Amino acid sequence: MGSDDGAEWNATIVSLIASCALHQLDPWAYLRDVLILLPSWPRDRVLDLAPKSWKQTLENTDARQRLAASPWTWAPATLAA
């Protein structure tokens, strides 16, 4: 990893991807949506953004409306070559 900080970041990302896989989520779409919601998300509901709660959070009208209002939600996951 090159450093202790690099190892910590790697462990965090690998854990996030594994949690997404465990809950049958696409990691890229999940991360995109969480990063869209996070700046305006209520602090007392931050655990709603965890992979474990994500499917239930998306059933929430508020979360769907916030995502629908963002121009980034519908951005392609990969760039055409």
Side-chain angles (χ1 to χ4, degrees):
M1 295 298 128
S3 70
D4 289 344
D5 289 339
E8 279 188 50
W9 275 105
N10 184 62
T12 300
I13 297 302
V14 169
S15 294
L16 177 67
I17 292 170
S19 186
C20 285
L22 178 67
H23 298 288
Q24 301 172 345
L25 302 172
D26 173 20
W28 292 110
Y30 166 76
L31 188 56
R32 178 200 59 215
D33 291 349
V34 166
L35 291 175
I36 289 168
L37 292 174
L38 195 56
S40 63
W41 198 254
R43 288 181 184 205
D44 62 333
R45 291 178 44 208
V46 73
L47 289 179
D48 292 350
L49 301 178
K52 180 179 180 179
S53 305
W54 188 242
K55 289 180 182 179
Q56 185 176 358
T57 298
L58 287 181
E59 292 175 5
N60 178 329
T61 303
D62 178 45
R64 285 196 321 266
Q65 287 175 343
R66 290 175 192 233
L67 288 171
S70 171
W72 303 109
T73 303
W74 306 111
T78 59
L79 299 175

